């Protein structure tokens, strides 16, 4: 029987994913089972080795594998790092150790399972440093012991002696403890062999047609593994080697070829030859025909390949499913956090930024507000080269729920907090760190399928914390969490009334945010002109304030005084309530997908020595504003109630109060049965919008007010996020709350997803695809447990088929015509209904206009018909004779 493993007491953090140290009450693990109770194995990280000067192969080697560590230094490490210290598991041993120095030994061969072990007694330390010497007599006797020869002895059968093992076997055997239930099912004898007809049925359309039972961990029933039978098989080590003969003596050599020509006599003989002339005359016609055919069509074309498209959408499972490429998890965070927003770096490939927030409800945030203030709110920059350590960490005053890189300068980042503040960062000082590409040597510069990304993992182990440059005013901004943020393009700017003008600065200087406080705000990062001159005393006071060296002064003029340029409320009309926006999409959002080359050129110009335009934002404010005519100021908004609103950001004057107010929505549709999580324009069609919310998906066309072009049926699980494909116009990805992702392909199916794939076991929070090259594309999927999954998009989902753009465009046009037809039929039906109601009213009027004589005649006819019916019924029943009935009629 195998020895039972030692039980460890459960700590407070036993439910988290990262491995935490045990509590002080737990006993440290020693090698008593191997006969060495004084040895305690340890794992020392690189940081701990540097602190105690016990680095592997430098301070401790194979010749001298031990190091004496002072007891006081270990206590100092406990005070600095507490439970994070690598010596924390043996804290009790260190405290009870009688001496001043402990012996730490480097376990090079992992004899005791870990890379170091600590000797916890003075006797063990002395035995290791000064091993006892054997007497000379024992050494001589040891040398003269002869080697015993092995003699095979066949096994001899012996009678069975019971030592109690049959009881263990009986205890381990499986016995039925529950009483078996017997069912008897019967049916009529006439129904045996009767024909049966099966038919298809949509399970989602019938109530209680199917029930999905997903697996989940039940905390009430946990099994502890006490014993395990393990078998091992020793196999010889196999090593593959290869060699290549190198040519060490190169030699230059040349050669020249000369054409072989006829002699003059041979040329004259061939020119007078009749056979040659007859041959040329006979084949000249066929040669001319062949030359003409070569000019008309390509004879080397592959006809079989031309029968189908370049790459069909049909393939096996490995060609159509997303493949796991990499994953990122913040192992250094002590609290449970979720990912709220994801964004790829616009210029540096393989660098992705994520914002994380604590997984707490509003009531729990209020309860633990004091503890949350002590924990930093971060945006993490992950690199493909180092999946463990973040490259940069952007600090913020509170949890970030949305952020976006500036489309003009990727070193400028804007984010929205849960408390309603807008935060700005400038990472220009750290641009060289994140752009440090590995030296390739003789490696080719061409793009490969498995690129070597990008940052040096050895030199970037310690992440850099970057403080924010500016934060908006709490009193004048949003009151609740900011749910979406967008940069306005550098082609235009707006004023306080929403009028559109040409951009004076030539860079993106304005933002738009929406919040759960029912407002949409426009922000300008440029300094606004003061209405009243500032006193000299206040100017000197501001100049005397020292700026911390680690905070850039790019947006210092905005810090704690930044107010929105314009604020819009989406009113519900007659009531005093307002719509609560969650996501929005401007008419110029599709241009940001194609601004990558422009960003790259501007970043190169800044590196070349040109001045960063964000360092001097006041220069262009003196330019005259030039209005832009025929500019579309309407945009789409998704609300918390599942409504999709098409409205205008321009202000209009209220005729009653004279104040400028937001215009009424142009159109409002309640399509989704839950909060809208995604409102996004297609990167291929600027007037096509995808909305995701509740349990369904909808596709809209700007300018069509009759409804969505496509509206899916209710899904089995709630949808949480969505995104268009960047390379295929008919493909988009939808995330669900059960960890599945639905992949829609409009060329294959329009009523349901083309395929579904499981990504994780919890809710998908965000989806963000990215194109690395023409041959390789990635999609980032963030889940509720704080893990970022990077998956590789297969060929069929990343490469469009022939004429896919026009095919999807024709599909949208057909849907528009279908909506117009439905609208026309609805109007016709309404007209027919009104006409039928008019006819009924006319008939009622006619009945009241009849004369008294006509009414009496109609009543008499009805009475006579009643008497005839009565007569026939009585005659058939034999209850009346013919004479009686005749006399009855005469009396009447």
């Amino acid at each position: 029987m195998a020895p039972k493993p030692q039980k460890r007491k459960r700590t407070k953090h036993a439910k988290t994913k990262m491995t935490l140290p045990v509590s002080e009450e737990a006993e440290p693990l020693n090698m008593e089972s191997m006969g060495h109770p004084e040895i305690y194995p340890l794992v020392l990280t690189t940081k701990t080795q540097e602190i105690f000067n016990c680095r592997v192969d430098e301070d401790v080697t194979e010749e001298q594998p031990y190091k004496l560590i002072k007891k006081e230094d270990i206590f100092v490490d406990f005070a600095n790092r507490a439970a994070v210290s690598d010596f924390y598991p043996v804290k009790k041993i260190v405290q009870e150790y009688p001496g001043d120095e402990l012996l730490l030994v480097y376990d090079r061969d992992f004899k005791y399972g870990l890379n170091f072990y600590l000797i916890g007694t003075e006797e063990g330390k002395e035995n290791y440093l000064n091993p006892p010497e054997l007497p000379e007599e024992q050494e001589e006797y040891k040398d003269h012991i002869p080697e015993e020869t092995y003699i095979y002895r066949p096994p001899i059968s012996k009678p069975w002696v019971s030592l109690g093992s049959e009881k263990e076997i009986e205890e381990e055997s499986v016995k039925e403890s529950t009483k078996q239930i017997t069912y008897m099912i019967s049916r009529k004898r006439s129904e045996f062999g009767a024909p049966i007809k099966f038919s298809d049925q949509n399970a989602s359309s019938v109530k209680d047609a199917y029930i999905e039972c997903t697996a989940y961990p039940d905390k009430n029933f946990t099994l502890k593994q006490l014993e395990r039978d393990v078998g091992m098989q020793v196999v010889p080590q196999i090593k593959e080697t290869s060699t290549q003969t190198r040519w060490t003596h190169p030699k230059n050599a040349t050669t020249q070829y000369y054409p072989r020509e006829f002699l003059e006599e041979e040329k004259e003989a061939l020119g007078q030859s009749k056979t040659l002339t007859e041959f040329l005359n006979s084949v000249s016609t066929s040669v001319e025909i062949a030359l003409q055919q070569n000019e008309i069509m390509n004879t080397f074309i592959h006809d079989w390949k031309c029968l189908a498209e370049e790459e069909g959408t049909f393939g096996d499972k490995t060609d159509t499913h997303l493949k796991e490429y990499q994953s990122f998890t913040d192992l250094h965070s002590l609290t449970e956090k979720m990912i709220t927003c994801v964004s790829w770096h616009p210029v540096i490939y393989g660098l992705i930024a994520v914002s994380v927030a604590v997984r707490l409800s509003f009531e729990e945030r209020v309860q633990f507000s004091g503890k949350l203030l002590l924990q930093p709110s971060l945006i993490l920059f992950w690199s493909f080269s180092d999946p463990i350590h973040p490259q940069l960490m952007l600090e913020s005053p509170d949890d970030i729920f949305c952020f976006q890189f500036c489309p003009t300068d990727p070193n400028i980042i804007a984010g929205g907090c849960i408390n309603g503040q807008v935060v700005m960062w400038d990472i220009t000082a750290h641009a060289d760190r994140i752009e440090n590409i590995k030296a390739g040597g003789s490696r080719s510069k061409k793009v490969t399928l498995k690129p070597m990304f990008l940052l040096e993992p050895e030199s970037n182990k310690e992440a850099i914390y970057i403080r924010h440059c500016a934060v908006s005013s709490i009193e004048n901004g949003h009151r609740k969490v900011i749910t979406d943020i967008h940069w306005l393009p550098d082609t235009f700017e707006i004023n306080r009334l929403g009028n559109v003008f040409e951009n004076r600065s030539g860079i993106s200087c304005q933002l738009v945010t929406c919040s759960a406080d029912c407002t949409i705000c426009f922000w300008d990062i440029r300094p606004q002109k003061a209405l009243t001159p500032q006193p000299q005393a206040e100017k000197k006071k501001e100049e005397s304030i020292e700026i911390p060296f680690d905070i850039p002064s790019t947006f210092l003029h905005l810090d704690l005084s930044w107010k929105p340029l314009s604020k819009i409320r989406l009113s519900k009309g007659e009531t005093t309530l307002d719509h609560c926006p969650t996501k929005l999409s401007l008419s110029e959002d599709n241009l940001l997908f194609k601004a990558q080359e422009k960003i790259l050129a501007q970043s190169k110009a800044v590196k070349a020595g040109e001045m960063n335009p964000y360092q001097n934002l006041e220069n262009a404010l003196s330019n005259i504003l030039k209005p832009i005519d025929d500019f579309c100021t309407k945009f789409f908004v998704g609300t918390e109630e599942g409504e999709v609103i098409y409205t205008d950001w321009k202000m209009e004057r209220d005729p009653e109060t004279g104040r400028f107010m937001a215009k009424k929505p142009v159109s409002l549709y309640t399509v989704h049965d839950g909060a809208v999580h995604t409102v996004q324009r297609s990167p291929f069609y600027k007037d096509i919008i995808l909305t995701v919310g509740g349990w369904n998906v909808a596709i809209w066309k700007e300018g069509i007010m009759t409804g969505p072009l496509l509206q899916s049926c209710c899904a089995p699980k709630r949808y949480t996020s969505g995104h268009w494909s960047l390379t295929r116009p008919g493909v988009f990805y939808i995330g669900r709350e059960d960890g599945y992702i639905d992949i829609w392909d409009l060329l294959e199916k329009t009523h349901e997803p083309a395929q579904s794939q499981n990504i994780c076991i919890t809710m998908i929070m965000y989806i963000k695809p990215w194109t690395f090259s023409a041959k390789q594309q990635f999609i980032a999927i963030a889940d509720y447990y704080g893990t970022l999954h990077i998956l590789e998009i297969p060929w069929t989902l990343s490469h469009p088929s022939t004429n896919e753009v026009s095919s999807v465009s024709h599909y949208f046009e057909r849907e528009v015509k279908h909506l117009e037809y439905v609208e026309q039929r609805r109007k016709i039906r309404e007209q027919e209904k009104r006409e039928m109601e008019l006819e009924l009213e006319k008939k009622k009027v006619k009945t009241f206009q009849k004369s008294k004589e006509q009414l009496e005649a109609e009543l008499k006819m009805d009475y006579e018909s009643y008497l005839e019916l009565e007569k026939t019924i009585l005659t058939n029943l034999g209850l009346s004779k013919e004479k009686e009935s005749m006399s009855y009629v005469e009396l009447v």
Side-chain angles (χ1 to χ4, degrees):
M1 300 294 291
K4 296 184 180 180
Q6 296 183 359
K7 297 182 181 179
R8 293 191 178 183
K9 296 187 178 180
R10 291 192 174 181
T11 61
K12 191 176 181 181
H13 303 280
K15 296 183 181 179
T16 55
K17 291 186 177 180
M18 51 185 297
T19 305
L20 296 177
V22 298
S23 63
E24 292 184 2
E25 298 178 359
E27 295 182 0
L29 181 65
N30 60 2
M31 294 291 105
E32 187 175 358
S33 60
M34 298 178 64
H36 297 285
E38 75 279 0
I39 292 178
Y40 297 89
L42 289 174
V43 176
L44 299 188
T45 60
T46 307
K47 185 69 175 179
T48 307
Q49 294 177 19
E50 293 177 357
I51 294 174
F52 291 96
N53 296 324
C54 57
R55 293 169 293 185
V56 175
D57 295 335
E58 294 184 10
D59 300 320
V60 290
T61 59
E62 188 175 2
E63 292 77 13
Q64 187 177 1
Y66 60 88
K67 183 77 175 182
L68 290 173
I69 300 177
K70 292 183 178 180
K71 190 175 178 181
E72 297 177 356
D73 296 342
I74 300 178
F75 287 150
V76 172
D77 189 53
F78 287 156
N80 293 335
R81 300 195 295 171
V84 184
S85 174
D86 294 337
F87 288 96
Y88 192 81
V90 294
K91 182 178 180 180
K92 185 177 180 181
I93 303 301
V94 175
Q95 291 176 346
E96 296 176 356
Y97 190 76
D100 296 332
E101 292 183 340
L102 286 88
L103 182 63
L104 182 70
V105 184
Y106 171 46
D107 193 354
R108 186 181 185 88
D109 299 328
F110 292 87
K111 181 179 179 180
Y112 299 109
L114 303 177
N115 60 349
F116 284 88
Y117 62 85
L118 187 73
I119 297 178
T121 60
E122 283 284 343
E123 183 181 357
K125 182 174 74 173
E126 292 296 330
N127 291 337
Y128 184 87
L129 297 177
N130 303 312
E133 297 182 357
L134 294 174
E136 295 181 358
E137 296 178 356
Q138 293 184 8
E139 290 183 357
E140 292 177 359
Y141 176 75
K142 185 178 178 180
D143 294 339
H144 290 86
I145 292 176
E147 296 182 358
E148 296 182 0
T149 58
Y150 175 74
I151 301 174
Y152 173 74
R153 293 183 178 86
I156 301 172
S157 61
K158 297 179 181 179
W160 168 259
V161 178
S162 175
L163 298 178
S165 59
E166 63 273 6
K167 295 181 180 179
E168 296 182 2
I169 295 173
E170 186 178 358
E171 291 176 357
E172 294 294 330
S173 61
V174 179
K175 298 180 181 179
E176 294 184 359
S177 59
T178 58
K179 186 178 179 181
Q180 294 184 352
I181 302 174
T182 305
Y183 292 94
M184 185 178 70
I185 301 171
S186 62
R187 61 176 176 179
K188 295 180 180 180
R189 179 66 183 83
S190 59
E191 295 181 359
F192 278 94
I196 300 173
K197 185 178 180 182
F198 296 98
S199 61
D200 296 334
Q201 175 180 304
N202 190 359
S204 61
S205 62
V206 181
K207 185 178 180 182
D208 299 333
Y210 72 96
I211 300 175
E212 184 178 3
C213 298
T214 57
Y216 67 95
D218 194 348
K219 299 178 181 178
N220 297 325
F221 301 94
T222 57
L223 299 177
K224 294 182 180 180
Q225 183 177 357
L226 301 179
E227 296 181 1
R228 173 184 288 183
D229 294 335
V230 179
M232 293 187 298
Q233 179 65 36
V234 179
V235 296
Q237 293 184 354
I238 301 174
K239 185 176 183 182
E240 295 181 359
T241 58
S242 61
T243 182
Q244 176 66 35
T245 305
R246 298 181 60 186
W247 185 255
T248 56
H249 301 285
K251 182 185 291 184
N252 296 328
T254 58
T255 183
Q256 179 67 40
Y257 294 90
Y258 295 95
R260 197 174 83 180
E261 297 181 353
F262 289 105
L263 299 175
E264 294 296 333
E265 295 81 4
E266 292 176 345
K267 290 180 181 179
E268 292 179 0
L270 290 173
Q272 298 175 0
S273 174
K274 292 183 179 181
T275 57
L276 179 61
T277 304
E278 292 174 358
F279 170 74
L280 293 176
N281 292 332
S282 62
V283 300
S284 59
T285 305
S286 59
V287 171
E288 290 177 0
I289 293 173
L291 293 174
Q292 291 175 1
Q293 290 178 349
N294 289 340
E295 292 293 331
I296 294 172
M297 62 179 293
N298 184 11
T299 58
F300 300 100
I301 194 171
H302 200 311
D303 296 332
W304 181 257
K305 287 184 178 180
C306 293
L307 292 177
E309 297 179 353
E310 177 186 359
E311 288 290 337
T313 57
F314 302 100
D316 56 3
K317 190 174 182 180
T318 58
D319 294 332
T320 58
H321 279 61
L322 304 174
K323 301 175 184 177
E324 184 77 22
Y325 188 82
Q326 206 164 11
S327 63
F328 301 96
T329 305
D330 186 13
L331 302 177
H332 304 282
S333 177
L334 298 178
T335 58
E336 298 179 349
K337 293 191 176 183
M338 63 179 178
I339 296 177
T340 56
C341 187
V342 179
S343 182
W344 294 85
H345 197 282
V347 178
I348 303 175
Y349 297 103
L351 190 66
I352 186 170
V354 298
S355 59
V356 293
V358 182
R359 298 201 306 263
L360 296 177
S361 61
F362 179 76
E363 292 77 9
E364 292 173 340
R365 282 183 175 272
V366 174
Q367 182 180 358
F368 301 106
S369 58
K371 295 181 180 180
L372 294 178
L373 292 174
L374 303 177
Q375 300 174 3
S377 301
L378 303 172
I379 294 179
L380 308 176
F381 279 72
W382 293 104
S383 170
F384 279 13
S385 65
D386 191 354
I388 299 177
H389 305 91
Q391 305 303 315
L392 294 179
M393 293 186 181
L394 307 186
E395 293 181 341
S396 63
D398 211 335
D399 287 344
I400 298 293
F401 272 72
C402 58
F403 70 94
Q404 193 177 43
F405 288 93
C406 178
T408 307
D409 187 357
N411 294 323
I412 306 298
I413 304 169
C417 293
I418 191 175
N419 61 357
Q421 290 181 293
V422 181
V423 188
M424 299 291 296
W425 293 273
D426 185 3
I427 60 173
T428 306
H430 308 277
D432 295 336
R433 171 188 173 87
I434 62 177
E435 292 176 5
N436 181 25
I437 303 175
K438 282 186 176 181
S442 60
R443 191 184 293 121
S444 174
K445 294 183 179 180
K446 294 183 179 179
V447 175
T448 58
L449 281 176
K450 299 294 181 183
M452 295 296 293
F453 292 101
L454 274 167
L455 306 176
E456 288 286 352
E458 297 297 332
S459 60
N460 294 327
K461 285 186 177 180
E462 296 183 1
I464 296 179
Y465 288 86
I466 301 176
R467 297 179 61 183
H468 54 271
C469 299
V471 64
S472 63
S473 172
I474 299 179
E475 296 81 5
N476 301 299
H478 293 291
R479 302 291 182 182
K480 293 184 180 180
V481 55
I482 297 177
T483 56
D484 202 5
I485 186 170
H486 291 268
W487 285 89
L488 297 186
D490 56 0
T491 55
F492 69 92
E493 62 177 278
I494 66 172
N495 62 357
R496 296 182 180 275
L497 301 180
N499 298 319
V500 183
F501 301 90
E502 292 183 1
N503 196 327
R504 295 173 290 178
S505 303
I507 56 176
S508 296
C509 296
Q510 292 182 339
L511 297 158
V512 57
T513 57
C514 66
S515 172
D517 62 352
C518 305
T519 59
I520 298 174
C521 293
F522 290 85
W523 307 78
D524 198 325
I525 63 175
R526 294 171 294 191
Q528 302 298 318
K529 296 180 180 178
L531 298 177
T532 57
Q534 195 174 12
Q536 295 292 333
E538 293 186 5
K539 287 185 179 180
K540 291 181 179 179
K541 187 177 181 180
E542 289 183 359
E543 292 176 357
S544 63
I545 298 175
E546 294 183 0
I547 305 173
F549 69 93
D550 58 341
I551 300 179
S553 60
T554 312
F555 305 107
L556 187 62
H557 57 278
L558 302 175
D559 196 20
L560 297 176
S561 62
W562 193 12
K563 301 178 182 179
L565 181 68
S566 175
K567 185 179 289 188
I568 300 174
R569 284 189 173 273
L570 302 177
S571 176
K572 288 190 176 181
E574 298 177 356
T575 63
T576 57
L577 302 176
D578 297 327
H579 296 285
C580 182
T582 55
K583 296 292 179 180
L584 55 87
S585 175
L586 304 178
S587 59
E588 300 293 330
D589 279 352
N590 64 322
L591 299 178
L592 299 180
F593 289 103
K594 305 174 182 178
Q596 186 175 350
E597 296 180 358
K598 185 176 181 181
I599 295 174
L600 188 59
Q602 290 177 350
S603 62
K604 289 182 178 178
V606 172
K607 287 182 182 179
E610 298 181 7
M611 184 178 179
N612 190 348
Y614 287 94
Q615 299 293 337
N616 194 358
L617 295 170
E618 300 179 357
N619 286 344
L621 292 177
S622 59
N623 298 338
I624 301 174
L625 287 172
K626 298 179 182 180
I628 301 177
D629 299 330
D630 300 332
F631 189 90
C632 181
T633 57
K634 298 180 179 62
F635 61 102
F636 280 85
V637 180
T639 67
E640 196 173 19
E641 294 82 11
E643 301 163 333
V644 178
I645 302 174
Y646 187 57
T647 185
D648 197 335
W649 72 55
K650 275 189 177 181
M651 297 284 192
E652 63 178 2
R653 191 182 294 274
D654 189 2
E656 297 180 359
T657 61
R659 297 179 179 178
F660 284 98
M661 300 178 64
K663 294 183 179 180
K664 294 182 179 180
V666 179
S667 60
L668 187 148
Y669 302 95
T670 306
V671 174
H672 302 286
D673 44 10
V676 178
H677 300 286
T678 301
V679 179
Q680 187 189 22
R681 291 182 181 267
S682 171
F684 296 91
Y685 317 100
K686 64 179 182 179
D687 55 348
I688 299 296
I689 296 92
L690 171 70
T691 59
V692 180
W695 280 262
N696 60 350
V697 181
I699 296 179
W700 310 76
K701 184 178 178 65
E702 192 170 10
I704 305 300
M705 304 301 174
T706 53
L709 303 183
L710 183 145
Q711 181 180 353
S712 67
C713 60
C714 289
K717 294 293 181 179
R718 184 167 55 91
Y719 289 145
T720 56
S721 59
H723 204 286
W724 284 101
S725 172
L726 300 181
T727 53
R728 287 197 58 188
V731 174
F732 53 91
Y733 309 94
I734 306 297
R736 301 189 332 203
E737 65 177 352
D738 58 349
Y740 279 79
I741 182 170
D742 290 343
I743 303 174
W744 288 70
D745 190 349
L746 299 180
L747 294 182
E748 185 175 348
K749 296 179 182 179
T750 57
H751 64 286
E752 63 180 2
Q755 59 177 326
S756 297
Q757 182 176 345
N758 180 257
I759 305 298
C760 53
I761 62 174
T762 183
M763 183 192 307
I764 293 177
M765 300 295 296
Y766 210 89
I767 297 176
K768 193 74 171 179
W770 186 250
T771 302
F772 169 71
S773 65
K775 295 182 179 180
Q776 194 171 30
Q777 294 183 21
F778 298 101
I779 182 170
I781 300 176
D783 64 12
Y784 184 71
Y785 286 164
T787 303
L788 179 66
H789 306 268
I790 306 296
L791 297 99
E792 190 174 356
I793 301 176
W795 178 276
T796 53
L797 295 178
S798 59
H799 290 72
S801 59
T802 307
N803 301 324
E804 183 172 345
V805 177
S806 59
S807 300
V808 178
S809 178
H810 292 157
Y811 165 72
F812 291 145
E813 291 175 1
R814 290 195 303 270
E815 292 299 322
V816 170
K817 293 179 182 178
H818 175 70
L819 286 176
E820 293 175 353
Y821 171 75
V822 172
E823 184 66 19
Q824 291 175 2
R825 294 298 301 170
R826 187 182 64 81
K827 292 180 180 179
I828 293 172
R829 294 299 182 190
E830 289 180 355
Q831 183 66 25
E832 292 177 354
K833 186 177 180 181
R834 286 195 295 268
E835 291 177 358
M836 291 175 64
E837 291 176 353
L838 290 174
E839 289 181 1
L840 291 174
E841 291 179 358
K842 288 180 181 179
K843 288 181 180 180
K844 291 180 180 178
V845 172
K846 287 181 180 180
T847 55
F848 288 113
Q849 291 178 355
K850 290 181 180 180
S851 63
K852 186 177 180 180
E853 296 177 355
Q854 291 177 347
L855 293 175
E856 290 180 355
E858 289 180 358
L859 291 173
K860 187 177 181 180
M861 291 176 62
D862 293 338
Y863 185 66
E864 289 178 355
S865 61
Y866 167 72
L867 292 177
E868 288 292 333
L869 178 63
E870 184 184 17
K871 174 185 174 182
T872 55
I873 292 172
L874 293 174
T875 304
N876 293 333
L877 295 174
L879 300 177
S880 176
K881 297 181 180 179
E882 245 181 90
K883 294 181 180 180
E884 292 179 358
S885 61
M886 290 295 292
S887 62
Y888 182 74
V889 173
E890 288 177 359
L891 289 173
V892 174

